[in-house]
Amino acid sequence: MHRSTASPTLPSGRTLGLSLALVSAVAFGGSGTAAKPLIEAGLSPLHVVWLRVTGAAVALLPIAYRHRDAVLRRPGLLLGFGLLAVAGVQACYFAAISRIPVGVALLIEYLGPPLLIGYVKFVQRKPITRGAAVGAGVAVTGLACVVEVWNGLGFDPLGVLFALGAACCQVGYFLLADAGRRGERPVDPLAVSAYGLLIGAVVLTVFTQPWQADWSLLGGSVVMNGHSLPALIPAAWMVLIATVLAYLTGVVSVGYLSPPIAGVVANLEAVVATVLAWVLLGEHLGLPQVAGGLLVLAGAFAAQTSKSPGVEGAVAEPTGGGAAASGATAAARERVTAADGGVSGRSSRTSRGD
């Protein structure tokens, strides 16, 4: 049987980690733009989420088979990643947006990085860089502008609770990603992503009942910003780029940046989603959104350029387990919002936690 041993040591350095995190954020950010035409063609948001996660799980089956002993090495880790980083974020997010505005739910979910910093500092009792803390605060402030939270202020206790649940699942995404490379039985980060998506697909199948969807729509055409194109194009982009590439690069980046810093950089996903919606879907940006995007960029820059003795040396170099597993987005974290089905807000915005 193939051993799921660590992959060869990758080139070290914060530059590589930041590059991978940026690729992951850009890839995740495009999921909503690809999903919106499919939703408008008649697929429900939950069925689009199922298609994304299940398609990615099938694409990663060769990786899962190659690292099949990972199920015996760290079964709890894989199960937790699938339930939290893939299925948990999605379930909580959709429950939240059914009760509170999309922008508010998105903002609350992206409290994940500050929550992650608090967990690392007060629960794990590890030092946190000042830049990571400041960057998280600046990024969340910018995100509030990006989603224009003031346009949909409202308070529903249960909706807020669900959104906080999504934020907590996002914390689990980064912590489990980092945990995969640690301990006496490290698991290759690619295996964490592959099995996490497989487990998430199984869980989502139970709740979304995909057999009720009209999948013949994928054989037709969809409309994106007034242009017709085969439905399989956005579907393939959503699966292969916004999920497979996003998870795999995000998984590796955590090992180079540490969970708190990777979490702050992940906030760029919302900015990318908004910009892509502007370019590809014609959803124009206002001045507050542009200013908010710049704040998110500033927060990510502040976080990743900070240095703290005793932390950077411990987390910047991937060790025996290869690069860290991150995934999941993020969470799997998919955020597909619909104009129909009782879901309000900007339908092009999504998150990795599908």
Side-chain angles (χ1 to χ4, degrees), residues 56-57 60-65 67 78 81 189-199 247-248 251:
L60 292 179
L61 278 176
I63 292 178
Y65 180 77
H67 298 287
L78 301 181
F81 192 84
L190 303 185
V192 175
S193 289
Y195 280 102
L197 285 165
L198 280 171
I199 294 169
Y247 268 98
L248 297 184
V251 158

Side-chain angles (χ1 to χ4, degrees), residues 8-315:
T9 302
L10 298 174
S12 62
R14 294 168 64 89
T15 300
L16 175 59
L18 178 61
S19 299
L20 292 171
L22 289 174
V23 170
S24 181
V26 171
F28 273 129
S31 59
T33 302
K36 183 174 181 177
L38 299 175
I39 294 172
E40 293 180 339
L43 287 178
S44 73
L46 286 178
H47 286 146
V48 172
V49 171
W50 179 87
L51 173 65
R52 178 188 175 188
V53 174
T54 304
V58 172
L60 292 179
L61 278 176
I63 292 178
Y65 180 77
R66 183 175 185 274
H67 298 287
R68 55 194 178 275
D69 69 315
V71 176
L72 299 178
R73 293 166 66 83
R74 303 284 291 277
L77 174 74
L78 301 181
L79 182 62
F81 192 84
L83 292 177
L84 292 177
V86 179
V89 175
Q90 293 311 305
C92 290
Y93 178 75
F94 277 104
I97 62 176
S98 69
R99 307 182 69 93
I100 60 178
V102 171
V104 177
L106 192 62
L107 179 64
I108 294 174
E109 182 184 346
Y110 270 93
L111 292 176
L115 290 176
L116 175 61
I117 288 175
Y119 181 88
V120 171
K121 181 174 180 61
F122 298 109
V123 178
Q124 294 186 334
R125 298 187 181 281
K126 295 179 180 179
I128 295 296
T129 66
R130 178 178 299 178
V134 172
V138 172
V140 170
T141 302
L143 183 63
C145 297
V146 171
V147 303
E148 295 182 332
V149 65
W150 52 84
N151 285 336
L153 290 176
F155 183 77
D156 180 296
L158 191 56
V160 171
L161 185 62
F162 281 131
L164 286 173
C168 292
C169 288
Q170 188 184 89
V171 172
Y173 169 92
F174 291 104
L175 291 177
L176 290 172
D178 187 55
R181 68 186 175 97
R182 301 184 181 277
E184 297 180 356
R185 295 182 296 173
V187 177
D188 192 290
L190 303 185
V192 175
S193 289
Y195 280 102
L197 285 165
L198 280 171
I199 294 169
V202 171
V203 174
L204 288 172
T205 297
V206 174
F207 289 99
T208 62
Q209 300 179 345
W211 50 87
Q212 295 183 353
D214 181 12
W215 297 110
S216 64
L217 294 171
L218 296 179
S221 299
V222 296
V223 177
M224 178 178 286
N225 199 18
H227 300 284
S228 178
L229 71 162
L232 287 177
I233 292 180
W237 180 277
M238 183 177 62
V239 170
L240 299 178
I241 303 299
T243 309
V244 173
L245 177 64
Y247 268 98
L248 297 184
T249 52
V251 158
V252 179
S253 71
V254 175
Y256 292 103
L257 295 177
S258 83
I261 295 177
V264 175
V265 176
N267 279 329
L268 292 173
E269 177 190 331
V271 178
V272 172
T274 303
V275 172
L276 288 178
W278 180 24
V279 174
L280 298 178
L281 300 178
E283 297 181 357
H284 299 290
L285 297 178
L287 182 60
Q289 291 177 300
V290 174
L294 293 176
L295 282 176
V296 174
L297 290 172
F301 179 79
Q304 66 88 24
T305 55
S306 63
K307 294 182 179 181
S308 175
V311 178
E312 299 303 328
V315 298

